[in-house]
Amino acid sequence: MPELHWQKSTYSQEASACVYVATTPAGTILLHESDEPQAVLTTGPRQLDALITTLQNRRRNSPS
C-alpha cells in the first residue's frame, strides 16, 4: 500500500484534539484523531458528505 498523506482538519484548533484525513488510491477516506492515531475510521465520500451535512443541519437548527 502506498504511503498515506494525512492532512490536519482546518477545524482542529488544539494540538491535542486534531482530526486527520487521508484518501487511498481507491478513493476511500480515512480519519483518525491525534490522540489515538491507531484507531482509523474508514468511509466513502458519499457517507462522509452525508455525515457532515447532517451535523451542519443539526448545528444550524439547535437553539443558541
Side-chain angles (χ1 to χ4, degrees), residues 33-49:
E33 292 185 60
S34 57
D35 59 344
E36 287 193 55
Q38 70 282 2
V40 177
L41 173 69
T42 303
T43 190
R46 286 181 296 177
Q47 294 85 353
L48 183 58
D49 182 59

Side-chain angles (χ1 to χ4, degrees), residues 2-4 11 14 18 20 23-26 29 36-38 40 42 45 48 56 58 60-61 63:
E3 186 175 332
L4 297 172
Y11 289 100
E14 297 179 28
C18 298
Y20 289 86
T23 57
T24 67
I29 298 171
E36 287 193 55
Q38 70 282 2
V40 177
T42 303
L48 183 58
Q56 287 173 336
R58 285 186 183 174
R60 277 188 221 119
N61 296 327

Side-chain angles (χ1 to χ4, degrees), residues 11 49-61:
Y11 289 100
D49 182 59
L51 173 64
I52 291 169
T53 299
T54 299
L55 295 173
Q56 287 173 336
N57 289 337
R58 285 186 183 174
R59 187 174 195 178
R60 277 188 221 119
N61 296 327

